[in-house]
Amino acid sequence: MEYIAFEKKVRIVFVFQVASFWTSWEKLYQSCLEDERFEVKLMWIDDISGDVAQMASGEEFLIKRNIEYDVFDYEKIMRFQPHYMVYQTPYDKGHRPISTWSSRFRRSGIRIIYIPYGIEISDTRESRYKHFALPVVINAFRIYVISQEMKKEYEKYCINSKAVLDMGLPRFDVLKDKEKFALSETLINRINNRKVILWKTHFPKIFIENEIKKQATPKLEEYIKFVDFIRETPDLFFIFMPHPKFVDETIDESLRMLAKTLIEKLEKLENVYIDTKDDYRYSLMNSDAIIVDRSAVMVEAGAVGVPVLYMYNSDYSEPMTPPIQKLLDSYYQGETAEEMKKFCIACLSDLDERKEEREKVFAKCVPYFDGKCAQRIKEDLWEEVKKEHKNEIVERFTENAEIFMFGTGGISRYCMDIYYETKEKSNLKVHVKGFIDNDKKKQKEYRYGKPIIAPDEINQKQFDYIVIGSNEYVTEIYTQLTKDLGVPKEKILSFDQFLTLTAFPEDLRKKYQYKEIRS
């Protein structure tokens, strides 16, 4: 299971699904396309069964931009024999059919590359899972992040932190060149030399805390009140940019109705343009001030050099990752329509008392704002492919490796079923010796004829690896093993990594398609 040997060109596949995420690796794609050392294919996954609101415009986006693409096809990819596949989103289950999953191609020796489609802003339990434990992140050969500070967050929570390099994000490369994002003549005429306030909103976001629903995004009632100020202030022009899922069917019904009301009121105003295009940078780069709530755009807002008002909801104090929190603290803060009004009046008067502080903090939060992130990443990919890589997990597995599975729920059973069904066909002679579980009621019981032990017993056992047999609690278990129990990181595998080691023939793929298993 060796990686493909280096030849004359680096072959790379960009896996495309979501038009609005194009900015995350657009510059890298273009740079590789223009480099004669690289051979590039872009493959569109013709399946919108996942996040429909964001994926529906994918092919239309490619066609409008005259971007050459193929429909994603396993056989085509294997004939192309890529050294790398760049995935656009980290979600395999829920975003893609099983035939396209990253683990399948990793097993074939293809190196998986991930550049975050957003920026790791939130520090909630759910967010840590989405940032640090999803399949593409776990399977990645390289994960490129915004800064050394963000790399430290991966080191705290991600099993695959060894794959992380802080080379900056290509999305920032183009934000130094405002001329590339000229507005249409029609919109310029509508603005008519007025100051432009970009108002960027996330979709209404609910978190569950102690089994209680809490709204993380600002109160829509306050946003609706603010419409009165817009109507009464014709000297300002507003570009309202809602998240693609702002009024999606998946949104809480009461919040969705308020979101619809807000849109309907704004549509009636002469000094408002509602921007629903996939590329948000045109509006971002032509704004004189920015109002933003929780969104990756709140980081990019700092690159524009204009006043930024960060809107929050005091009913739910959403924890942010440390590097992002420092940037937010340098912005103006608000949660009411009145505070939005005061911010806009100050912008009319060209007042920006936080300018110096904001620019200083942004330089620390985004240290690679030099237009060269894509170039650094491309050169890293070039250099790495010249080395002879082997499947690292397979290579470090010892003959007759002894494994404990942490967890006894659905994911654990899923892994064990495949393990037993494929054991005789696998070239790897590994042995599951037992299970670990925090549930005291399960301890001393048996699963698959193997004992279930308490976590604090593991250091009394002989083992080569511990597999985290959980999907929902992977970051918590990882922290428990490394911090509380002192298990070396190199001895911990995710269940997805474990499955890449098993013989997983094609005739089993339809049978095992991640049923609705949560634990």
Side-chain angles (χ1 to χ4, degrees):
M1 293 204 1
E2 294 188 4
Y3 282 113
I4 299 160
F6 176 70
E7 298 170 359
K8 293 181 179 180
K9 289 197 174 189
V10 173
R11 295 180 297 279
I12 183 168
V13 171
F14 287 82
V15 182
F16 177 80
Q17 288 181 277
V18 185
S20 59
F21 296 170
W22 174 254
T23 58
S24 64
W25 44 247
E26 174 191 29
K27 190 68 174 178
L28 176 62
Y29 169 75
Q30 291 175 340
S31 185
C32 291
L33 202 62
E34 295 164 2
D35 192 322
E36 62 182 12
R37 298 174 300 170
F38 286 76
E39 190 173 351
V40 178
K41 284 189 182 295
L42 187 142
M43 290 200 163
W44 168 60
I45 295 181
D46 183 13
D47 185 292
I48 57 171
S49 57
D51 204 336
V52 177
Q54 293 184 288
M55 295 182 189
S57 61
E59 187 175 27
E60 179 185 358
F61 176 87
L62 296 173
I63 293 170
K64 280 185 176 180
R65 293 202 168 202
N66 295 316
I67 297 171
E68 187 176 335
Y69 69 96
D70 277 333
V71 174
F72 192 102
D73 180 87
Y74 176 78
E75 297 300 332
K76 282 184 180 179
I77 291 173
M78 298 316 291
R79 284 196 298 271
F80 183 56
Q81 290 192 305
H83 298 91
Y84 299 112
M85 288 178 69
V86 186
Y87 275 78
Q88 197 179 31
T89 78
Y91 307 88
D92 277 344
K93 180 179 181 292
H95 262 204
R96 296 183 272 275
I98 193 169
S99 61
T100 68
W101 286 5
S102 58
S103 57
R104 184 183 197 192
F105 293 96
R106 177 179 177 165
R107 285 190 74 250
S108 299
I110 298 168
R111 281 165 269 185
I112 306 301
I113 306 300
Y114 179 58
I115 298 169
Y117 71 87
I119 297 171
E120 304 88 334
I121 59 174
S122 179
D123 201 23
T124 64
R125 177 181 173 276
E126 177 189 345
S127 298
R128 285 178 184 172
Y129 168 67
K130 291 180 176 180
H131 296 159
F132 309 121
L134 288 171
V136 172
V137 174
I138 298 301
N139 289 319
F141 171 78
R142 277 285 189 268
I143 303 165
Y144 297 101
V145 299
I146 193 171
S147 66
Q148 178 65 30
E149 289 300 306
M150 194 60 76
K151 182 179 178 182
K152 290 178 182 177
E153 294 301 300
Y154 278 84
E155 289 170 349
K156 282 193 281 187
Y157 303 114
C158 181
I159 285 178
N160 195 26
S161 61
K162 68 182 183 306
V164 178
L165 286 185
D166 59 312
M167 291 189 165
L169 299 178
R171 68 194 307 135
F172 286 96
D173 285 354
V174 294
L175 297 185
K176 297 181 74 68
D177 191 355
K178 185 176 179 178
E179 293 181 1
K180 288 185 177 180
F181 301 101
L183 297 176
S184 68
E185 187 174 342
T186 301
L187 185 53
I188 290 172
N189 290 336
R190 278 193 62 185
I191 294 170
N192 194 23
N193 295 316
R194 289 177 283 189
K195 284 188 179 294
V196 175
I197 309 288
L198 172 63
W199 182 10
K200 174 74 177 78
T201 63
H202 195 272
F203 63 83
K205 177 75 175 177
I206 296 289
F207 281 114
I208 307 295
E209 189 176 75
N210 299 322
E211 299 184 359
I212 298 173
K213 284 184 178 181
K214 293 193 175 180
Q215 186 177 339
T217 46
K219 296 175 182 176
L220 290 171
E221 294 88 347
E222 293 296 324
Y223 280 178
I224 291 171
K225 287 180 188 176
F226 182 60
V227 175
D228 291 334
F229 171 78
I230 296 175
R231 184 184 301 107
E232 296 162 4
T233 316
D235 291 344
L236 286 174
F237 190 88
F238 289 82
I239 297 180
F240 181 71
M241 187 188 297
H243 190 284
K245 293 171 63 174
F246 193 66
V247 293
D248 192 65
E249 294 295 325
T250 60
I251 304 301
D252 180 271
E253 178 64 19
S254 60
L255 294 177
R256 186 157 58 89
M257 295 311 295
L258 288 171
K260 283 185 174 181
T261 299
L262 176 60
I263 294 285
E264 289 167 0
K265 286 179 174 290
L266 290 172
E267 285 175 335
K268 297 175 183 177
L269 301 182
E270 176 275 333
N271 60 333
V272 173
Y273 167 67
I274 299 179
D275 184 357
T276 58
K277 296 192 298 294
D278 290 310
D279 195 337
Y280 55 86
R281 295 172 298 181
Y282 289 83
S283 293
L284 177 70
M285 297 303 289
N286 287 281
S287 60
D288 297 296
I290 299 168
I291 300 172
V292 64
D293 53 39
R294 67 169 323 276
S295 163
V297 176
M298 69 191 187
V299 182
E300 289 165 279
V304 185
V306 301
V308 182
L309 172 65
Y310 172 66
M311 294 295 292
Y312 63 93
N313 187 338
S314 61
D315 290 345
Y316 177 75
S317 182
E318 181 181 4
M320 296 289 177
T321 52
I324 302 305
Q325 185 61 58
K326 292 173 186 174
L327 182 62
L328 290 186
D329 290 342
S330 74
Y331 291 168
Y332 299 96
Q333 307 278 319
E335 64 172 323
T336 66
E338 188 62 29
E339 286 161 320
M340 296 171 76
K341 175 181 174 181
K342 289 178 181 178
F343 174 77
C344 292
I345 291 172
C347 292
L348 266 174
S349 304
D350 293 319
L351 296 176
D352 186 8
E353 298 174 352
R354 303 204 117 192
K355 179 179 175 62
E356 185 176 345
E357 178 192 2
R358 185 178 63 247
E359 291 177 349
K360 187 183 297 183
V361 175
F362 176 78
K364 292 180 179 178
C365 181
V366 188
Y368 298 107
F369 190 47
D370 57 2
K372 298 178 181 178
C373 298
Q375 182 67 22
R376 274 188 293 273
I377 292 170
K378 183 180 71 172
E379 292 305 320
D380 179 58
L381 297 176
W382 168 259
E383 290 299 323
E384 284 300 320
V385 96
K386 291 194 295 185
K387 301 174 185 177
E388 185 180 352
H389 284 282
K390 295 186 177 182
N391 188 315
E392 188 175 330
I393 296 179
V394 174
E395 188 67 11
R396 62 191 170 103
F397 248 70
T398 59
E399 185 73 11
N400 296 316
E402 296 182 341
I403 293 173
F404 276 84
M405 184 77 63
F406 199 124
T408 56
I411 288 285
S412 176
R413 294 193 299 273
Y414 170 75
C415 290
M416 291 302 294
D417 287 348
I418 294 176
Y419 168 71
Y420 279 113
E421 188 149 357
T422 64
K423 189 176 180 181
E424 298 306 316
K425 301 174 185 178
S426 176
N427 295 323
L428 292 165
K429 304 305 178 186
V430 299
H431 305 283
V432 177
K433 304 297 290 183
F435 297 84
I436 308 167
D437 205 291
N438 284 310
D439 188 344
K440 292 182 179 180
K441 294 178 181 177
K442 294 181 179 179
Q443 293 161 12
K444 308 302 182 187
E445 292 182 358
Y446 285 77
R447 292 287 189 278
Y448 297 88
K450 312 291 184 183
I452 302 173
I453 65 172
D456 58 10
E457 294 181 60
I458 191 60
N459 286 320
Q460 302 165 23
K461 305 290 184 180
Q462 173 67 37
F463 67 92
D464 295 292
Y465 299 96
I466 295 174
V467 175
I468 299 179
S470 174
N471 186 27
E472 188 174 358
Y473 299 102
V474 61
T475 53
E476 288 88 345
I477 294 172
Y478 179 68
T479 301
Q480 182 181 0
L481 288 171
T482 55
K483 296 293 194 319
D484 300 344
L485 299 173
V487 177
K489 292 180 180 180
E490 58 270 17
K491 286 195 169 192
I492 303 171
L493 299 176
S494 72
F495 76 90
D496 216 34
Q497 289 173 322
F498 174 74
L499 292 178
T500 66
L501 301 172
T502 63
F504 198 4
E506 294 304 311
D507 59 357
L508 289 180
R509 291 191 176 279
K510 290 185 179 180
K511 181 175 180 180
Y512 294 107
Q513 290 197 20
Y514 281 151
K515 302 152 194 167
E516 286 303 313
I517 39 183
R518 299 278 300 164
S519 58

